[in-house]
Amino acid sequence: MRGPAAYPLVAVGGGRMAVAGADALTIRAASGAQVATVPGADMRTRVALSTTRLAIERTSALDLYNPATGAALKSLPLGSAAALRLADVSSRLALLRGAHRLVLIRFSDGKSISFPLRRAAAATLVGARLTEAGLFYTYNIRGASPGRIVFEPMGKLLARF
């Protein structure tokens, strides 16, 4: 879509997509039909979407919404993780990413943990993705080709809390 009614796609997940408008976030089904609207989010807002959660990163909090209705669920303070960037969400956790570290936030109580990365992984972190199955992250090793992909199952992630 082009023209004045076109807005950027900011997140995809759970069979839906989040489109940022001038002053609201619109959740759309895969067909393009509007599912829900969340006011107060704009194109500069960091957003992540899963089947059961829409997370919007604010200056010092992570606001959670129901992506099917747009209803607010809760707001979790980010504390020392406020400088990190929202990377992904699952039904139980949010993933925040910094240049050399990953932080997980549990939705049930807002507790956060810094996910330990080996030195080589922390220094050359390429990407990270959180799914219902667990956490995947990739990093490079100097002089090695290809890089490394690591998977941490959801059960192990939850046990770290």
Side-chain angles (χ1 to χ4, degrees):
M1 178 181 257
R2 293 186 177 169
Y7 291 100
L9 179 68
V10 293
V12 176
R16 297 184 182 101
M17 55 190 139
V19 179
D23 59 357
L25 192 69
T26 302
I27 308 302
R28 297 194 175 275
S31 66
Q34 183 172 328
V35 175
T37 300
V38 177
D42 62 26
M43 292 179 264
R44 298 175 309 259
T45 307
R46 293 182 184 145
V47 177
L49 185 61
S50 76
T51 304
T52 60
R53 296 288 185 268
L54 166 66
I56 299 177
E57 183 180 5
R58 308 292 184 179
T59 303
S60 60
L62 187 64
D63 292 344
L64 302 176
Y65 298 85
N66 180 329
T69 65
L73 299 173
K74 65 170 53 174
S75 184
L76 303 170
L78 291 174
S80 63
L84 302 179
R85 182 178 183 164
L86 176 63
D88 219 339
V89 292
S90 70
S91 61
R92 297 183 270 186
L93 301 173
L95 172 67
L96 285 87
R97 179 180 173 198
H100 303 291
R101 71 179 180 134
L102 301 174
V103 171
L104 296 170
I105 298 176
R106 186 168 54 191
F107 294 149
S108 62
D109 58 5
K111 183 176 180 182
S112 65
I113 60 166
S114 186
F115 189 80
L117 297 173
R118 294 187 355 221
R119 185 187 311 194
T124 61
L125 187 62
V126 175
R129 175 79 191 196
L130 184 64
T131 70
E132 295 302 322
L135 172 67
F136 298 83
Y137 64 93
T138 57
Y139 64 96
N140 290 320
I141 296 178
R142 223 181 181 126
S145 183
R148 304 286 190 258
I149 299 173
V150 178
F151 170 67
E152 182 86 12
M154 185 59 75
K156 285 188 175 185
L157 293 176
L158 294 172
R160 291 180 181 272
F161 287 92

PDB file of all heavy atoms in Angstrom, residues 55-97:
ATOM      1  N   ALA A  55       3.449  -6.709  22.892  1.00  0.00           N
ATOM      2  CA  ALA A  55       4.281  -5.955  23.828  1.00  0.00           C
ATOM      3  C   ALA A  55       4.706  -4.657  23.163  1.00  0.00           C
ATOM      4  O   ALA A  55       5.127  -4.647  22.007  1.00  0.00           O
ATOM      5  CB  ALA A  55       5.509  -6.768  24.225  1.00  0.00           C
ATOM      6  N   ILE A  56       4.567  -3.573  23.922  1.00  0.00           N
ATOM      7  CA  ILE A  56       4.997  -2.265  23.448  1.00  0.00           C
ATOM      8  C   ILE A  56       5.996  -1.723  24.450  1.00  0.00           C
ATOM      9  O   ILE A  56       5.701  -1.603  25.639  1.00  0.00           O
ATOM     10  CB  ILE A  56       3.803  -1.295  23.309  1.00  0.00           C
ATOM     11  CG1 ILE A  56       2.805  -1.846  22.282  1.00  0.00           C
ATOM     12  CG2 ILE A  56       4.293   0.088  22.907  1.00  0.00           C
ATOM     13  CD1 ILE A  56       1.565  -1.008  22.116  1.00  0.00           C
ATOM     14  N   GLU A  57       7.200  -1.422  23.965  1.00  0.00           N
ATOM     15  CA  GLU A  57       8.253  -0.900  24.837  1.00  0.00           C
ATOM     16  C   GLU A  57       8.083   0.606  24.972  1.00  0.00           C
ATOM     17  O   GLU A  57       8.076   1.338  23.981  1.00  0.00           O
ATOM     18  CB  GLU A  57       9.627  -1.229  24.260  1.00  0.00           C
ATOM     19  CG  GLU A  57      10.757  -0.792  25.145  1.00  0.00           C
ATOM     20  CD  GLU A  57      12.113  -1.128  24.564  1.00  0.00           C
ATOM     21  OE1 GLU A  57      12.193  -1.614  23.423  1.00  0.00           O
ATOM     22  OE2 GLU A  57      13.096  -0.901  25.265  1.00  0.00           O
ATOM     23  N   ARG A  58       7.936   1.034  26.193  1.00  0.00           N
ATOM     24  CA  ARG A  58       7.864   2.458  26.506  1.00  0.00           C
ATOM     25  C   ARG A  58       9.228   2.883  27.059  1.00  0.00           C
ATOM     26  O   ARG A  58      10.149   2.076  27.129  1.00  0.00           O
ATOM     27  CB  ARG A  58       6.760   2.739  27.531  1.00  0.00           C
ATOM     28  CG  ARG A  58       5.402   2.169  27.172  1.00  0.00           C
ATOM     29  CD  ARG A  58       4.783   2.845  25.986  1.00  0.00           C
ATOM     30  NE  ARG A  58       3.440   2.290  25.769  1.00  0.00           N
ATOM     31  CZ  ARG A  58       2.634   2.663  24.834  1.00  0.00           C
ATOM     32  NH1 ARG A  58       3.005   3.588  23.992  1.00  0.00           N
ATOM     33  NH2 ARG A  58       1.447   2.123  24.695  1.00  0.00           N
ATOM     34  N   THR A  59       9.371   4.097  27.504  1.00  0.00           N
ATOM     35  CA  THR A  59      10.651   4.597  28.001  1.00  0.00           C
ATOM     36  C   THR A  59      11.189   3.751  29.148  1.00  0.00           C
ATOM     37  O   THR A  59      12.361   3.398  29.170  1.00  0.00           O
ATOM     38  CB  THR A  59      10.507   6.061  28.459  1.00  0.00           C
ATOM     39  OG1 THR A  59      10.029   6.817  27.360  1.00  0.00           O
ATOM     40  CG2 THR A  59      11.836   6.619  28.919  1.00  0.00           C
ATOM     41  N   SER A  60      10.352   3.395  30.107  1.00  0.00           N
ATOM     42  CA  SER A  60      10.831   2.640  31.271  1.00  0.00           C
ATOM     43  C   SER A  60       9.943   1.467  31.637  1.00  0.00           C
ATOM     44  O   SER A  60      10.059   0.912  32.728  1.00  0.00           O
ATOM     45  CB  SER A  60      10.953   3.578  32.472  1.00  0.00           C
ATOM     46  OG  SER A  60       9.687   4.136  32.773  1.00  0.00           O
ATOM     47  N   ALA A  61       9.056   1.064  30.728  1.00  0.00           N
ATOM     48  CA  ALA A  61       8.145  -0.044  31.021  1.00  0.00           C
ATOM     49  C   ALA A  61       7.841  -0.827  29.755  1.00  0.00           C
ATOM     50  O   ALA A  61       8.010  -0.338  28.634  1.00  0.00           O
ATOM     51  CB  ALA A  61       6.849   0.475  31.635  1.00  0.00           C
ATOM     52  N   LEU A  62       7.381  -2.049  29.960  1.00  0.00           N
ATOM     53  CA  LEU A  62       6.922  -2.909  28.877  1.00  0.00           C
ATOM     54  C   LEU A  62       5.428  -3.089  29.088  1.00  0.00           C
ATOM     55  O   LEU A  62       5.002  -3.656  30.090  1.00  0.00           O
ATOM     56  CB  LEU A  62       7.652  -4.251  28.924  1.00  0.00           C
ATOM     57  CG  LEU A  62       7.425  -5.203  27.772  1.00  0.00           C
ATOM     58  CD1 LEU A  62       7.962  -4.598  26.478  1.00  0.00           C
ATOM     59  CD2 LEU A  62       8.115  -6.525  28.040  1.00  0.00           C
ATOM     60  N   ASP A  63       4.630  -2.562  28.174  1.00  0.00           N
ATOM     61  CA  ASP A  63       3.183  -2.658  28.280  1.00  0.00           C
ATOM     62  C   ASP A  63       2.701  -3.856  27.476  1.00  0.00           C
ATOM     63  O   ASP A  63       3.067  -4.014  26.304  1.00  0.00           O
ATOM     64  CB  ASP A  63       2.514  -1.381  27.769  1.00  0.00           C
ATOM     65  CG  ASP A  63       2.791  -0.183  28.660  1.00  0.00           C
ATOM     66  OD1 ASP A  63       3.224  -0.372  29.816  1.00  0.00           O
ATOM     67  OD2 ASP A  63       2.574   0.947  28.198  1.00  0.00           O
ATOM     68  N   LEU A  64       1.872  -4.682  28.096  1.00  0.00           N
ATOM     69  CA  LEU A  64       1.359  -5.888  27.464  1.00  0.00           C
ATOM     70  C   LEU A  64      -0.124  -5.732  27.149  1.00  0.00           C
ATOM     71  O   LEU A  64      -0.890  -5.223  27.970  1.00  0.00           O
ATOM     72  CB  LEU A  64       1.565  -7.101  28.372  1.00  0.00           C
ATOM     73  CG  LEU A  64       3.004  -7.382  28.768  1.00  0.00           C
ATOM     74  CD1 LEU A  64       3.067  -8.552  29.741  1.00  0.00           C
ATOM     75  CD2 LEU A  64       3.851  -7.675  27.541  1.00  0.00           C
ATOM     76  N   TYR A  65      -0.511  -6.218  25.973  1.00  0.00           N
ATOM     77  CA  TYR A  65      -1.886  -6.136  25.498  1.00  0.00           C
ATOM     78  C   TYR A  65      -2.316  -7.480  24.936  1.00  0.00           C
ATOM     79  O   TYR A  65      -1.491  -8.297  24.533  1.00  0.00           O
ATOM     80  CB  TYR A  65      -2.015  -5.086  24.387  1.00  0.00           C
ATOM     81  CG  TYR A  65      -1.686  -3.693  24.826  1.00  0.00           C
ATOM     82  CD1 TYR A  65      -0.368  -3.239  24.829  1.00  0.00           C
ATOM     83  CD2 TYR A  65      -2.684  -2.816  25.240  1.00  0.00           C
ATOM     84  CE1 TYR A  65      -0.062  -1.953  25.238  1.00  0.00           C
ATOM     85  CE2 TYR A  65      -2.380  -1.530  25.649  1.00  0.00           C
ATOM     86  CZ  TYR A  65      -1.069  -1.110  25.647  1.00  0.00           C
ATOM     87  OH  TYR A  65      -0.757   0.168  26.057  1.00  0.00           O
ATOM     88  N   ASN A  66      -3.629  -7.671  24.859  1.00  0.00           N
ATOM     89  CA  ASN A  66      -4.198  -8.817  24.180  1.00  0.00           C
ATOM     90  C   ASN A  66      -4.271  -8.450  22.700  1.00  0.00           C
ATOM     91  O   ASN A  66      -4.983  -7.502  22.342  1.00  0.00           O
ATOM     92  CB  ASN A  66      -5.592  -9.111  24.741  1.00  0.00           C
ATOM     93  CG  ASN A  66      -6.246 -10.286  24.069  1.00  0.00           C
ATOM     94  OD1 ASN A  66      -6.024 -10.574  22.907  1.00  0.00           O
ATOM     95  ND2 ASN A  66      -7.080 -10.981  24.817  1.00  0.00           N
ATOM     96  N   PRO A  67      -3.576  -9.170  21.819  1.00  0.00           N
ATOM     97  CA  PRO A  67      -3.567  -8.775  20.401  1.00  0.00           C
ATOM     98  C   PRO A  67      -4.901  -9.027  19.698  1.00  0.00           C
ATOM     99  O   PRO A  67      -5.148  -8.457  18.641  1.00  0.00           O
ATOM    100  CB  PRO A  67      -2.451  -9.631  19.797  1.00  0.00           C
ATOM    101  CG  PRO A  67      -2.361 -10.807  20.690  1.00  0.00           C
ATOM    102  CD  PRO A  67      -2.711 -10.320  22.068  1.00  0.00           C
ATOM    103  N   ALA A  68      -5.776  -9.843  20.288  1.00  0.00           N
ATOM    104  CA  ALA A  68      -7.069 -10.121  19.670  1.00  0.00           C
ATOM    105  C   ALA A  68      -8.086  -9.018  19.950  1.00  0.00           C
ATOM    106  O   ALA A  68      -9.020  -8.821  19.170  1.00  0.00           O
ATOM    107  CB  ALA A  68      -7.612 -11.459  20.157  1.00  0.00           C
ATOM    108  N   THR A  69      -7.889  -8.283  21.063  1.00  0.00           N
ATOM    109  CA  THR A  69      -8.867  -7.268  21.453  1.00  0.00           C
ATOM    110  C   THR A  69      -8.273  -5.874  21.619  1.00  0.00           C
ATOM    111  O   THR A  69      -9.007  -4.895  21.628  1.00  0.00           O
ATOM    112  CB  THR A  69      -9.521  -7.650  22.793  1.00  0.00           C
ATOM    113  OG1 THR A  69      -8.525  -7.632  23.815  1.00  0.00           O
ATOM    114  CG2 THR A  69     -10.183  -9.017  22.712  1.00  0.00           C
ATOM    115  N   GLY A  70      -6.973  -5.795  21.815  1.00  0.00           N
ATOM    116  CA  GLY A  70      -6.319  -4.523  22.092  1.00  0.00           C
ATOM    117  C   GLY A  70      -6.402  -4.130  23.553  1.00  0.00           C
ATOM    118  O   GLY A  70      -5.929  -3.066  23.950  1.00  0.00           O
ATOM    119  N   ALA A  71      -6.994  -4.986  24.404  1.00  0.00           N
ATOM    120  CA  ALA A  71      -7.149  -4.679  25.828  1.00  0.00           C
ATOM    121  C   ALA A  71      -5.798  -4.708  26.535  1.00  0.00           C
ATOM    122  O   ALA A  71      -4.989  -5.614  26.315  1.00  0.00           O
ATOM    123  CB  ALA A  71      -8.088  -5.692  26.486  1.00  0.00           C
ATOM    124  N   ALA A  72      -5.574  -3.709  27.400  1.00  0.00           N
ATOM    125  CA  ALA A  72      -4.346  -3.654  28.197  1.00  0.00           C
ATOM    126  C   ALA A  72      -4.371  -4.784  29.217  1.00  0.00           C
ATOM    127  O   ALA A  72      -5.391  -5.037  29.864  1.00  0.00           O
ATOM    128  CB  ALA A  72      -4.240  -2.311  28.897  1.00  0.00           C
ATOM    129  N   LEU A  73      -3.239  -5.476  29.376  1.00  0.00           N
ATOM    130  CA  LEU A  73      -3.127  -6.568  30.341  1.00  0.00           C
ATOM    131  C   LEU A  73      -2.339  -6.151  31.566  1.00  0.00           C
ATOM    132  O   LEU A  73      -2.770  -6.354  32.685  1.00  0.00           O
ATOM    133  CB  LEU A  73      -2.490  -7.793  29.683  1.00  0.00           C
ATOM    134  CG  LEU A  73      -3.246  -8.385  28.497  1.00  0.00           C
ATOM    135  CD1 LEU A  73      -2.425  -9.477  27.830  1.00  0.00           C
ATOM    136  CD2 LEU A  73      -4.600  -8.913  28.947  1.00  0.00           C
ATOM    137  N   LYS A  74      -1.148  -5.601  31.362  1.00  0.00           N
ATOM    138  CA  LYS A  74      -0.320  -5.125  32.468  1.00  0.00           C
ATOM    139  C   LYS A  74       0.850  -4.337  31.949  1.00  0.00           C
ATOM    140  O   LYS A  74       1.158  -4.373  30.765  1.00  0.00           O
ATOM    141  CB  LYS A  74       0.154  -6.267  33.367  1.00  0.00           C
ATOM    142  CG  LYS A  74       1.089  -7.267  32.704  1.00  0.00           C
ATOM    143  CD  LYS A  74       1.755  -8.285  33.632  1.00  0.00           C
ATOM    144  CE  LYS A  74       0.828  -9.047  34.496  1.00  0.00           C
ATOM    145  NZ  LYS A  74       1.473 -10.108  35.273  1.00  0.00           N
ATOM    146  N   SER A  75       1.504  -3.635  32.865  1.00  0.00           N
ATOM    147  CA  SER A  75       2.695  -2.873  32.546  1.00  0.00           C
ATOM    148  C   SER A  75       3.797  -3.337  33.486  1.00  0.00           C
ATOM    149  O   SER A  75       3.602  -3.393  34.701  1.00  0.00           O
ATOM    150  CB  SER A  75       2.426  -1.379  32.731  1.00  0.00           C
ATOM    151  OG  SER A  75       3.550  -0.636  32.331  1.00  0.00           O
ATOM    152  N   LEU A  76       4.940  -3.699  32.927  1.00  0.00           N
ATOM    153  CA  LEU A  76       6.070  -4.202  33.706  1.00  0.00           C
ATOM    154  C   LEU A  76       7.216  -3.200  33.655  1.00  0.00           C
ATOM    155  O   LEU A  76       7.657  -2.823  32.561  1.00  0.00           O
ATOM    156  CB  LEU A  76       6.552  -5.544  33.135  1.00  0.00           C
ATOM    157  CG  LEU A  76       5.503  -6.653  33.054  1.00  0.00           C
ATOM    158  CD1 LEU A  76       6.037  -7.822  32.248  1.00  0.00           C
ATOM    159  CD2 LEU A  76       5.093  -7.095  34.442  1.00  0.00           C
ATOM    160  N   PRO A  77       7.719  -2.746  34.807  1.00  0.00           N
ATOM    161  CA  PRO A  77       8.863  -1.826  34.791  1.00  0.00           C
ATOM    162  C   PRO A  77      10.103  -2.523  34.243  1.00  0.00           C
ATOM    163  O   PRO A  77      10.348  -3.698  34.540  1.00  0.00           O
ATOM    164  CB  PRO A  77       9.035  -1.437  36.255  1.00  0.00           C
ATOM    165  CG  PRO A  77       8.303  -2.469  37.041  1.00  0.00           C
ATOM    166  CD  PRO A  77       7.265  -3.077  36.146  1.00  0.00           C
ATOM    167  N   LEU A  78      10.889  -1.817  33.447  1.00  0.00           N
ATOM    168  CA  LEU A  78      12.084  -2.398  32.837  1.00  0.00           C
ATOM    169  C   LEU A  78      13.330  -2.241  33.706  1.00  0.00           C
ATOM    170  O   LEU A  78      14.295  -2.971  33.528  1.00  0.00           O
ATOM    171  CB  LEU A  78      12.330  -1.784  31.463  1.00  0.00           C
ATOM    172  CG  LEU A  78      11.305  -2.151  30.394  1.00  0.00           C
ATOM    173  CD1 LEU A  78      11.565  -1.365  29.122  1.00  0.00           C
ATOM    174  CD2 LEU A  78      11.335  -3.645  30.127  1.00  0.00           C
ATOM    175  N   GLY A  79      13.340  -1.296  34.623  1.00  0.00           N
ATOM    176  CA  GLY A  79      14.498  -1.105  35.499  1.00  0.00           C
ATOM    177  C   GLY A  79      15.767  -0.908  34.699  1.00  0.00           C
ATOM    178  O   GLY A  79      15.816  -0.119  33.755  1.00  0.00           O
ATOM    179  N   SER A  80      16.789  -1.673  35.043  1.00  0.00           N
ATOM    180  CA  SER A  80      18.087  -1.524  34.384  1.00  0.00           C
ATOM    181  C   SER A  80      18.079  -1.990  32.932  1.00  0.00           C
ATOM    182  O   SER A  80      19.005  -1.704  32.183  1.00  0.00           O
ATOM    183  CB  SER A  80      19.158  -2.285  35.164  1.00  0.00           C
ATOM    184  OG  SER A  80      18.861  -3.671  35.162  1.00  0.00           O
ATOM    185  N   ALA A  81      17.037  -2.688  32.507  1.00  0.00           N
ATOM    186  CA  ALA A  81      16.945  -3.151  31.116  1.00  0.00           C
ATOM    187  C   ALA A  81      16.295  -2.113  30.206  1.00  0.00           C
ATOM    188  O   ALA A  81      16.109  -2.359  29.020  1.00  0.00           O
ATOM    189  CB  ALA A  81      16.163  -4.457  31.059  1.00  0.00           C
ATOM    190  N   ALA A  82      15.970  -0.931  30.730  1.00  0.00           N
ATOM    191  CA  ALA A  82      15.290   0.100  29.944  1.00  0.00           C
ATOM    192  C   ALA A  82      16.114   0.563  28.743  1.00  0.00           C
ATOM    193  O   ALA A  82      15.555   1.020  27.752  1.00  0.00           O
ATOM    194  CB  ALA A  82      14.924   1.287  30.827  1.00  0.00           C
ATOM    195  N   ALA A  83      17.417   0.441  28.809  1.00  0.00           N
ATOM    196  CA  ALA A  83      18.270   0.876  27.703  1.00  0.00           C
ATOM    197  C   ALA A  83      18.331  -0.157  26.572  1.00  0.00           C
ATOM    198  O   ALA A  83      18.821   0.149  25.488  1.00  0.00           O
ATOM    199  CB  ALA A  83      19.685   1.150  28.210  1.00  0.00           C
ATOM    200  N   LEU A  84      17.824  -1.350  26.827  1.00  0.00           N
ATOM    201  CA  LEU A  84      17.858  -2.406  25.817  1.00  0.00           C
ATOM    202  C   LEU A  84      16.667  -2.277  24.874  1.00  0.00           C
ATOM    203  O   LEU A  84      15.707  -1.568  25.156  1.00  0.00           O
ATOM    204  CB  LEU A  84      17.862  -3.777  26.489  1.00  0.00           C
ATOM    205  CG  LEU A  84      19.011  -4.025  27.463  1.00  0.00           C
ATOM    206  CD1 LEU A  84      18.895  -5.400  28.079  1.00  0.00           C
ATOM    207  CD2 LEU A  84      20.353  -3.863  26.777  1.00  0.00           C
ATOM    208  N   ARG A  85      16.724  -3.012  23.792  1.00  0.00           N
ATOM    209  CA  ARG A  85      15.684  -2.952  22.767  1.00  0.00           C
ATOM    210  C   ARG A  85      14.813  -4.205  22.799  1.00  0.00           C
ATOM    211  O   ARG A  85      15.322  -5.325  22.836  1.00  0.00           O
ATOM    212  CB  ARG A  85      16.349  -2.829  21.414  1.00  0.00           C
ATOM    213  CG  ARG A  85      15.384  -2.715  20.311  1.00  0.00           C
ATOM    214  CD  ARG A  85      16.071  -2.545  18.988  1.00  0.00           C
ATOM    215  NE  ARG A  85      15.015  -2.369  18.005  1.00  0.00           N
ATOM    216  CZ  ARG A  85      15.210  -1.901  16.811  1.00  0.00           C
ATOM    217  NH1 ARG A  85      16.413  -1.577  16.424  1.00  0.00           N
ATOM    218  NH2 ARG A  85      14.207  -1.770  15.984  1.00  0.00           N
ATOM    219  N   LEU A  86      13.498  -4.004  22.775  1.00  0.00           N
ATOM    220  CA  LEU A  86      12.567  -5.128  22.695  1.00  0.00           C
ATOM    221  C   LEU A  86      12.829  -5.884  21.404  1.00  0.00           C
ATOM    222  O   LEU A  86      12.813  -5.311  20.321  1.00  0.00           O
ATOM    223  CB  LEU A  86      11.124  -4.614  22.734  1.00  0.00           C
ATOM    224  CG  LEU A  86      10.023  -5.656  22.569  1.00  0.00           C
ATOM    225  CD1 LEU A  86      10.050  -6.669  23.723  1.00  0.00           C
ATOM    226  CD2 LEU A  86       8.662  -4.970  22.508  1.00  0.00           C
ATOM    227  N   ALA A  87      13.084  -7.190  21.535  1.00  0.00           N
ATOM    228  CA  ALA A  87      13.415  -7.993  20.360  1.00  0.00           C
ATOM    229  C   ALA A  87      12.304  -8.972  19.991  1.00  0.00           C
ATOM    230  O   ALA A  87      12.062  -9.214  18.806  1.00  0.00           O
ATOM    231  CB  ALA A  87      14.713  -8.752  20.589  1.00  0.00           C
ATOM    232  N   ASP A  88      11.617  -9.552  21.006  1.00  0.00           N
ATOM    233  CA  ASP A  88      10.627 -10.581  20.707  1.00  0.00           C
ATOM    234  C   ASP A  88       9.806 -10.894  21.945  1.00  0.00           C
ATOM    235  O   ASP A  88      10.193 -10.534  23.060  1.00  0.00           O
ATOM    236  CB  ASP A  88      11.323 -11.855  20.218  1.00  0.00           C
ATOM    237  CG  ASP A  88      10.580 -12.545  19.089  1.00  0.00           C
ATOM    238  OD1 ASP A  88       9.367 -12.308  18.924  1.00  0.00           O
ATOM    239  OD2 ASP A  88      11.207 -13.326  18.358  1.00  0.00           O
ATOM    240  N   VAL A  89       8.682 -11.589  21.753  1.00  0.00           N
ATOM    241  CA  VAL A  89       7.862 -12.069  22.865  1.00  0.00           C
ATOM    242  C   VAL A  89       7.330 -13.453  22.564  1.00  0.00           C
ATOM    243  O   VAL A  89       7.188 -13.837  21.404  1.00  0.00           O
ATOM    244  CB  VAL A  89       6.650 -11.145  23.167  1.00  0.00           C
ATOM    245  CG1 VAL A  89       7.076  -9.818  23.719  1.00  0.00           C
ATOM    246  CG2 VAL A  89       5.739 -10.981  21.977  1.00  0.00           C
ATOM    247  N   SER A  90       7.049 -14.176  23.634  1.00  0.00           N
ATOM    248  CA  SER A  90       6.303 -15.430  23.554  1.00  0.00           C
ATOM    249  C   SER A  90       5.088 -15.232  24.462  1.00  0.00           C
ATOM    250  O   SER A  90       4.822 -14.122  24.906  1.00  0.00           O
ATOM    251  CB  SER A  90       7.175 -16.603  24.031  1.00  0.00           C
ATOM    252  OG  SER A  90       7.385 -16.536  25.429  1.00  0.00           O
ATOM    253  N   SER A  91       4.393 -16.293  24.796  1.00  0.00           N
ATOM    254  CA  SER A  91       3.234 -16.145  25.673  1.00  0.00           C
ATOM    255  C   SER A  91       3.634 -15.872  27.119  1.00  0.00           C
ATOM    256  O   SER A  91       2.842 -15.344  27.891  1.00  0.00           O
ATOM    257  CB  SER A  91       2.358 -17.399  25.613  1.00  0.00           C
ATOM    258  OG  SER A  91       3.093 -18.525  26.047  1.00  0.00           O
ATOM    259  N   ARG A  92       4.890 -16.189  27.501  1.00  0.00           N
ATOM    260  CA  ARG A  92       5.316 -16.032  28.898  1.00  0.00           C
ATOM    261  C   ARG A  92       6.509 -15.120  29.123  1.00  0.00           C
ATOM    262  O   ARG A  92       6.767 -14.689  30.239  1.00  0.00           O
ATOM    263  CB  ARG A  92       5.637 -17.408  29.492  1.00  0.00           C
ATOM    264  CG  ARG A  92       4.421 -18.301  29.540  1.00  0.00           C
ATOM    265  CD  ARG A  92       4.739 -19.594  30.191  1.00  0.00           C
ATOM    266  NE  ARG A  92       5.192 -20.541  29.173  1.00  0.00           N
ATOM    267  CZ  ARG A  92       5.440 -21.800  29.410  1.00  0.00           C
ATOM    268  NH1 ARG A  92       5.332 -22.292  30.610  1.00  0.00           N
ATOM    269  NH2 ARG A  92       5.822 -22.597  28.437  1.00  0.00           N
ATOM    270  N   LEU A  93       7.266 -14.820  28.070  1.00  0.00           N
ATOM    271  CA  LEU A  93       8.503 -14.064  28.231  1.00  0.00           C
ATOM    272  C   LEU A  93       8.659 -12.993  27.158  1.00  0.00           C
ATOM    273  O   LEU A  93       8.135 -13.132  26.055  1.00  0.00           O
ATOM    274  CB  LEU A  93       9.721 -14.995  28.126  1.00  0.00           C
ATOM    275  CG  LEU A  93       9.855 -16.137  29.098  1.00  0.00           C
ATOM    276  CD1 LEU A  93      11.028 -17.025  28.702  1.00  0.00           C
ATOM    277  CD2 LEU A  93      10.024 -15.631  30.506  1.00  0.00           C
ATOM    278  N   ALA A  94       9.419 -11.964  27.514  1.00  0.00           N
ATOM    279  CA  ALA A  94       9.868 -10.969  26.539  1.00  0.00           C
ATOM    280  C   ALA A  94      11.376 -11.067  26.445  1.00  0.00           C
ATOM    281  O   ALA A  94      12.063 -11.364  27.425  1.00  0.00           O
ATOM    282  CB  ALA A  94       9.472  -9.564  26.971  1.00  0.00           C
ATOM    283  N   LEU A  95      11.893 -10.812  25.273  1.00  0.00           N
ATOM    284  CA  LEU A  95      13.330 -10.805  25.028  1.00  0.00           C
ATOM    285  C   LEU A  95      13.750  -9.393  24.694  1.00  0.00           C
ATOM    286  O   LEU A  95      13.204  -8.770  23.782  1.00  0.00           O
ATOM    287  CB  LEU A  95      13.670 -11.741  23.870  1.00  0.00           C
ATOM    288  CG  LEU A  95      15.115 -11.712  23.363  1.00  0.00           C
ATOM    289  CD1 LEU A  95      16.065 -12.255  24.436  1.00  0.00           C
ATOM    290  CD2 LEU A  95      15.236 -12.511  22.079  1.00  0.00           C
ATOM    291  N   LEU A  96      14.718  -8.879  25.463  1.00  0.00           N
ATOM    292  CA  LEU A  96      15.313  -7.579  25.179  1.00  0.00           C
ATOM    293  C   LEU A  96      16.763  -7.813  24.800  1.00  0.00           C
ATOM    294  O   LEU A  96      17.417  -8.709  25.337  1.00  0.00           O
ATOM    295  CB  LEU A  96      15.211  -6.652  26.389  1.00  0.00           C
ATOM    296  CG  LEU A  96      13.810  -6.083  26.609  1.00  0.00           C
ATOM    297  CD1 LEU A  96      12.991  -7.035  27.438  1.00  0.00           C
ATOM    298  CD2 LEU A  96      13.879  -4.750  27.253  1.00  0.00           C
ATOM    299  N   ARG A  97      17.262  -6.978  23.894  1.00  0.00           N
ATOM    300  CA  ARG A  97      18.607  -7.193  23.376  1.00  0.00           C
ATOM    301  C   ARG A  97      19.417  -5.915  23.439  1.00  0.00           C
ATOM    302  O   ARG A  97      18.941  -4.837  23.080  1.00  0.00           O
ATOM    303  CB  ARG A  97      18.510  -7.664  21.936  1.00  0.00           C
ATOM    304  CG  ARG A  97      19.859  -7.885  21.326  1.00  0.00           C
ATOM    305  CD  ARG A  97      19.776  -8.345  19.919  1.00  0.00           C
ATOM    306  NE  ARG A  97      21.125  -8.367  19.403  1.00  0.00           N
ATOM    307  CZ  ARG A  97      21.445  -8.391  18.147  1.00  0.00           C
ATOM    308  NH1 ARG A  97      20.527  -8.423  17.232  1.00  0.00           N
ATOM    309  NH2 ARG A  97      22.703  -8.396  17.780  1.00  0.00           N
TER     310      ARG A  97
END
